[in-house]
Amino acid sequence: MSETFADLIACEDALMFVNAAITSTGQREFRHREGGQRLSLDFLHRYTLANYRELYAAALALRINDHNAALIVLNLLAHAGDVGVERRRHEGRLIARRLELLPQHRVYRVFRELRRLGVNNRRTRAIVRDWLAGRRDPAFDAVKYRGAVKSAVRHAHLPLDGELGPFLFAPHGVRSFRTPIFERWRRAHYEQAALYGLPFTVAEGFAAKHEIPREVFLERIEPQMTRLERLRHQEGARKAGVDAVAADLGAMPLTRLASYVLSLPLDDRAARRAELTAALRTAAGRAAGAAAGSWGRVTAVLDDSYSATGSGQKRRRPLAVALAASFLLESLAAEYTPLWTSGRADELLLYPYGPTPLGERILDALGTAPERLIIISDGWDNAPPGLAADVLRIWRTRLDPARRVMIAHLNPVYDADDFDVRRLAPSVPAAGIRDAEDLATLVELARFAEGRLGLDALRAHLDAQTARFLEVTA
Amino acid sequence: MFRPDGLTTGPAQVWNAIRLVPLLREEPVPHLRLHRRVYEQPVSVVEVGDGTVYTAYVPHAFVATWSEDDRLPAASYGTRLLERDTRPAPPRMPVRTTRRMARKAGKDRLRFLPLHLAVEGYLALHFGGPEIVWEEWSRRAVARGLSPRCEETYLGSEVRGLEDALRIFEIHPGQCGVLVYVADALAGAFVTPHQDDYRALHPTLVEDLFGELIYMYGLLGAPAGDLSAGIDGGGIRSLADLRAAAARARDAWADFHDGTMAGGLRDPDGSRQVVQFLNGFELARFMPSFGLRRENHIGEAIVDEEGRLAYMKTFRLSDGQVRRGHLLKQLARHGWRLADTAASLGVGEAALALRLERSGFGHLLRQDVLDHYRAQARREGVT
């Protein structure tokens, strides 16, 4: 294998980009403001697009976050002319597949952004057309995302059939719609009962217009709420005295569930301990799938220091990821030891507290003789600073040169200054993490960061991922 | 060496140019707590019931509404020791009249610049001015001393990076104090008797007062370097060895910090003045020696019967302030005689007079005397 210097750099750049695309959402973090995050991320996108377009597009096949997926789609379409037809066709397939996976509102935001940037090539129009044609219920979409659909239709010059055209562009000239949801929307302007047949977010606007009391509104709109809307409004509804809004916690994705648990007051968590623990276990079991119990002896060092607070925009996100990962690792491992940096053991009652003595916890963790050591932390080791790096370096070079213990560091926070997630030591692979559910695949990806596998292996890995990603549609 | 009884030095946290070094206590200093009124909610002090006396302290410049009668919040003037729940409140000044110096911190809680008195009046407090009317001094200097004079200082929020550094600082369990470094120059120390007091006061550090030197260093923004020596892998054969090496590194850092980085806080030639004594606690203000080209800190400290440092707040003088202090100290030592002082400094009388003027003390000399010296200097070609 002939690895050139350029290959090594390419490999590093690619991983840097993937890590950023997984972790950064352009929002405020504990240490960096959103302006810095956006600037840093924007640079990285431009750099990768210009230098490694192939890798840039392939990132769509990975579990990157929605914010970055939307940015990639946008950039690829805005700079479509730079590459040949064959490549463009491949990119188009990746984009189409990714748009199917993105939440609708994000897709509409991409379309809006395309319009703002004046990107209106033939392929863009085709992509908008195909995506809209693939929607299950165009009428429902038109009501829920009325402004966005209108803008997308106008931008892509799409012909409209049925009542969609009048509904979007001239609704006030219509006496009555034949499509039930359009009709409900029309009536909701003056009739309170009609708004309870509309999507929750739309009904909320009409409820404000009709000055319906919140508790009455929540009680009656409850059947229309989506799973996540239920989760989001559950606590608010309970405060308003409406118990009908109850999310089925067992069906929630793991990390979101962890976020929800951490948002509850400590007394509530203690009172609902059995219910919450069971829900977290179920979600973790589902995320682990067939791999449950196959990881052997696992020890995790988990960061619950004050910096796990996140920010006003990402409330307790790093802590939620660590909590979710802990439950997932519990179900993946045959024998599992969690070590929180604060030294607390009751996972359900965690809150961000104190400094980050990662070095000492890693020492404790290595003392349990694990087969795998997973570290989940933002990488700011400060009590004392640099001890974690020293411990990991000496462990790798002097105590375990044969690499019997597999060590991986997963970092939920993007460091805007370094264009990457913060690392603990060069000898320990680090990867960004957004949802704890991706933990297993990320540990896989982290191997490349160690520098022992080269660019060819990374390309192969990406190609395999891309193939699997596209296969589902075919 | 800065190592007060009962306090240990913790690992530092760095953000750009700012380094914050926590001071930890294993157990709080008993019987002394922040005055209840300083908290927005009452402090939960456990009632012992055996007649144990709690003493309260109010840091200088804290603002609270002290009683039902005066609705306006007032700032305490100088740190004070109080009997618990004393009425009336400590010496204070209504905040409204000092709006210029007060800053809003929360709805009804403001923070007046701490140590304000000490800084603005540190020269006046320490050096009353000449007692004998030598012919050179103006009548005003004798009658009123050095006042009024004000020193220029900066709010903590104006020191670049300090606000962020304090926001992201991870407070240690048991932390009762902090040392603030800007570009590794010690800006000040802050110690409280109890960790809850520290938590309550930590965010207010950004409303503190810092000298010009610290402000400039913050502006230059040179990142503070990595001072951890790291662990040498040699000779480490087991996890236990590694653990021992880590413990040694921790002690080495504490020694290095207390001896080298915070060493300038203790001034053997400085002076100390006891202000108040209550229930075994002693409140003192300390003045540095005004030695040139060294760190000079002024501050306040509360020490308990056993000599444990319960409360401390310091302020680092900038070089200009030190030079002025040095000048006054020399004058005071020679009985405020210009001739003697000039001789001891090895300069001419005219040069000394002009130096006084340049330092902002021109108004202390009689106008005709100053003009005479100016003319003399011009003749000799000294500018």
Side-chain angles (χ1 to χ4, degrees):
Chain A
M1 192 169 73
S2 62
E3 280 274 292
T4 65
F5 199 56
D7 279 355
L8 271 175
I9 291 177
C11 194
E12 263 185 36
D13 283 351
L15 286 168
M16 179 167 84
F17 178 69
V18 171
N19 283 338
I22 289 172
T23 49
S24 179
T25 49
Q27 287 168 309
R28 205 180 327 145
E29 294 282 0
F30 184 69
R31 288 186 173 79
H32 293 102
R33 292 171 202 284
E34 58 265 50
Q37 288 269 329
R38 272 165 203 267
L39 194 69
S40 167
L41 196 63
D42 186 48
F43 165 78
L44 208 54
H45 272 268
R46 281 160 194 262
Y47 174 79
T48 317
L49 175 66
N51 291 296
Y52 313 100
R53 185 161 177 138
E54 214 171 310
L55 288 170
Y56 188 69
L60 284 175
L62 302 176
R63 302 285 295 262
I64 59 174
N65 66 42
D66 296 341
H67 176 74
N68 284 290
L71 275 178
I72 295 177
V73 169
L74 211 59
N75 284 329
L76 286 176
L77 289 176
H79 299 94
D82 302 353
V83 286
V85 178
E86 197 47 45
R87 244 325 314 123
R88 254 187 275 172
R89 201 158 285 154
H90 179 66
E91 281 174 9
R93 277 204 303 279
L94 277 168
I95 291 171
R97 175 79 187 117
R98 189 74 214 192
L99 288 184
E100 277 171 39
L101 297 176
L102 280 179
Q104 299 94 301
H105 64 275
R106 291 223 178 240
V107 179
Y108 284 120
R109 202 185 291 169
V110 171
F111 292 167
R112 259 202 187 145
E113 199 59 20
L114 285 169
R115 185 173 180 200
R116 196 182 65 78
L117 294 173
V119 178
N120 199 5
N121 45 44
R122 203 155 47 133
R123 195 158 58 100
T124 302
R125 288 201 296 278
I127 281 169
V128 174
R129 183 196 62 219
D130 291 350
W131 187 81
L132 282 173
R135 302 298 305 151
R136 236 180 338 180
D137 188 353
F140 180 87
D141 269 26
V143 171
K144 188 163 180 177
Y145 308 102
R146 188 159 172 275
V149 173
K150 198 158 118 179
S151 138
V153 164
R154 198 176 260 161
H155 186 55
H157 312 310
L158 296 180
L160 294 172
D161 46 355
E163 287 183 315
L164 210 53
F167 172 75
L168 287 178
F169 294 102
H172 300 301
V174 181
R175 281 276 163 116
S176 72
F177 287 106
R178 282 185 309 284
T179 319
I181 193 163
F182 291 170
E183 179 60 14
R184 279 201 292 274
W185 179 84
R186 193 185 64 81
R187 292 164 73 94
H189 282 83
Y190 54 85
E191 185 192 330
Q192 289 197 8
L195 67 87
Y196 297 108
L198 293 173
F200 173 72
T201 47
V202 181
E204 220 174 9
F206 281 118
K209 179 181 142 92
H210 294 305
E211 292 174 3
I212 300 173
R214 186 73 178 167
E215 60 273 16
V216 176
F217 171 68
L218 283 173
E219 187 92 51
R220 291 194 58 191
I221 196 69
E222 192 270 333
Q224 293 290 328
M225 286 169 118
T226 65
R227 196 174 57 143
L228 293 177
E229 278 163 359
R230 253 171 249 256
L231 185 64
R232 210 172 297 138
H233 292 283
Q234 180 166 296
E235 293 310 307
R238 192 168 301 171
K239 274 194 204 108
V242 181
D243 288 331
V245 182
D248 176 14
L249 294 184
M252 289 297 155
L254 181 57
T255 311
R256 220 174 262 267
L257 187 60
S259 263
Y260 169 72
V261 169
L262 292 174
S263 76
L264 295 174
L266 289 179
D267 292 344
D268 285 12
R269 290 191 230 167
R272 295 168 61 190
R273 180 182 291 277
E275 178 202 353
L276 296 175
T277 313
L280 281 165
R281 290 240 161 85
T282 319
R286 208 171 39 235
S294 65
W295 277 30
R297 223 167 32 247
V298 178
T299 299
V301 173
L302 306 152
D303 189 349
D304 63 339
S305 66
Y306 178 58
S307 61
T309 314
S311 69
Q313 292 179 334
K314 300 176 97 172
R315 255 169 229 205
R316 297 189 172 184
R317 181 82 199 183
L319 187 59
V321 172
L323 178 63
S326 180
F327 275 91
L328 180 60
L329 285 170
E330 184 187 51
S331 97
L332 282 172
E335 205 179 304
Y336 173 60
T337 323
L339 293 171
W340 294 89
T341 51
S342 65
R344 288 174 290 186
D346 191 340
E347 300 198 325
L348 214 58
L349 300 183
L350 286 174
Y351 55 93
Y353 175 72
T356 321
L358 272 184
E360 276 172 40
R361 287 294 167 275
I362 293 173
L363 272 173
D364 295 345
L366 292 171
T368 63
E371 285 167 51
R372 292 173 194 241
L373 169 60
I374 309 288
I375 303 163
I376 298 183
S377 163
D378 59 8
W380 287 84
D381 170 38
N382 60 21
L387 181 61
D390 280 336
V391 167
L392 290 171
R393 173 176 54 85
I394 293 167
W395 173 261
R396 271 283 183 253
T397 52
R398 301 205 159 249
L399 303 179
D400 181 27
R403 292 172 182 261
R404 276 171 288 119
V405 182
M406 186 235 128
I407 306 180
H409 172 207
L410 297 173
N411 191 332
V413 181
Y414 173 64
D415 188 30
D417 293 342
D418 284 349
F419 301 104
D420 202 346
V421 294
R422 208 175 148 90
R423 279 156 182 258
L424 286 176
S427 58
V428 169
I433 183 166
R434 163 111 184 122
D435 286 314
E437 292 88 321
D438 307 336
L439 191 132
T441 48
L442 289 170
V443 169
E444 191 87 342
L445 192 70
R447 283 178 311 144
F448 294 103
E450 249 177 310
R452 288 198 302 164
L453 296 161
L455 186 63
D456 293 335
L458 179 66
R459 278 235 164 82
H461 176 80
L462 284 181
D463 286 346
Q465 288 278 335
T466 314
R468 206 178 313 153
F469 181 70
L470 290 175
E471 206 171 78
V472 189
T473 33
Chain B
M1 188 79 164
F2 173 76
R3 185 168 284 175
D5 267 2
L7 284 167
T8 48
T9 304
Q13 290 178 34
V14 176
W15 182 251
N16 294 336
I18 315 283
R19 184 191 303 276
L20 298 172
V21 179
L23 297 171
L24 318 174
R25 266 188 224 282
E26 274 180 22
E27 51 185 47
V29 175
H31 313 321
L32 181 69
R33 287 301 300 274
L34 191 60
H35 194 271
R36 283 186 184 212
R37 295 274 175 169
V38 177
Y39 280 104
E40 279 165 20
Q41 283 94 31
V43 197
S44 53
V45 178
V46 183
E47 294 289 343
V48 188
D50 59 352
T52 311
V53 196
Y54 275 102
T55 313
Y57 70 99
V58 180
H60 174 70
F62 265 83
V63 174
T65 318
W66 298 98
S67 68
E68 310 305 321
D69 310 334
D70 50 329
R71 291 285 163 77
L72 286 174
S76 65
Y77 201 65
T79 299
R80 280 292 188 285
L81 285 167
L82 299 169
E83 293 284 359
R84 189 178 155 209
D85 292 341
T86 325
R87 276 164 207 265
R92 62 197 187 277
M93 46 163 51
V95 165
R96 205 172 42 173
T97 59
T98 57
R99 194 84 191 172
R100 189 171 53 87
M101 293 149 190
R103 293 290 184 278
K104 204 147 178 83
K107 206 161 77 237
D108 55 349
R109 189 165 141 195
L110 290 103
R111 178 104 192 244
F112 191 57
L113 299 180
L115 294 171
H116 190 262
L117 172 74
V119 175
E120 198 158 278
Y122 83 99
L123 302 171
L125 269 182
H126 196 55
F127 310 101
E131 301 86 20
I132 308 166
V133 197
W134 303 106
E135 57 170 20
E136 296 89 348
W137 297 95
S138 75
R139 197 152 288 286
R140 198 169 130 221
V142 184
R144 298 211 217 137
L146 301 176
S147 303
R149 246 200 77 76
C150 67
E151 292 295 326
E152 211 158 89
T153 47
Y154 294 85
L155 255 187
S157 52
E158 290 171 31
V159 177
R160 197 156 91 184
L162 184 67
E163 199 172 352
D164 278 341
L166 286 170
R167 179 177 60 82
I168 63 178
F169 181 81
E170 300 184 329
I171 299 176
H172 287 248
Q175 182 175 348
C176 288
V178 73
L179 289 131
V180 180
Y181 292 85
V182 179
D184 281 331
L186 179 56
F190 178 54
V191 176
T192 62
H194 194 282
Q195 54 169 333
D196 291 350
D197 289 2
Y198 182 79
R199 265 178 199 278
L201 298 182
H202 176 83
T204 66
L205 277 171
V206 80
E207 311 253 315
D208 252 357
L209 202 59
F210 293 93
E212 190 195 354
L213 179 88
I214 300 305
Y215 171 76
M216 286 308 287
Y217 279 6
L219 208 59
L220 296 174
D226 180 13
L227 293 180
S228 60
I231 301 173
D232 180 20
I236 291 179
R237 281 193 192 79
S238 67
L239 269 182
D241 288 353
L242 194 52
R243 213 180 271 274
R248 274 200 303 281
R250 199 162 33 235
D251 292 345
W253 154 254
D255 285 343
F256 166 73
H257 171 266
D258 297 347
T260 309
M261 295 188 68
L265 210 51
R266 276 274 149 87
D267 193 339
D269 305 324
S271 61
R272 190 166 171 280
Q273 181 197 354
V274 176
V275 181
Q276 212 189 345
F277 193 82
L278 184 69
N279 299 337
F281 291 101
E282 187 184 276
L283 169 66
R285 301 219 167 95
F286 50 87
M287 284 279 172
S289 60
F290 295 107
L292 295 179
R293 285 177 287 283
R294 73 184 297 286
E295 288 177 36
N296 282 274
H297 299 267
I298 57 170
E300 303 173 311
I302 297 175
V303 181
D304 78 348
E305 275 166 331
E306 292 160 42
R308 277 177 298 193
L309 184 67
Y311 170 83
M312 183 161 88
K313 184 98 199 58
T314 72
F315 172 86
R316 181 184 183 146
L317 298 176
S318 68
D319 278 0
Q321 288 166 331
V322 173
R323 275 199 297 277
R324 285 196 286 278
H326 179 73
L327 206 55
L328 291 178
K329 196 176 172 187
Q330 294 301 322
L331 278 167
R333 184 188 286 168
H334 294 95
W336 300 90
R337 289 196 73 146
L338 286 181
D340 292 358
T341 314
S344 84
L345 290 171
V347 293
E349 249 180 75
L352 177 63
L354 292 182
R355 193 162 148 192
L356 272 172
E357 195 199 358
R358 273 201 303 278
S359 306
F361 294 125
H363 65 279
L364 295 179
L365 293 173
R366 256 169 47 199
Q367 189 62 41
D368 59 318
V369 175
L370 194 57
D371 289 345
H372 166 71
Y373 285 132
R374 275 196 198 122
Q376 195 181 331
R378 240 192 330 271
R379 269 199 306 281
E380 288 165 12
V382 184
T383 50

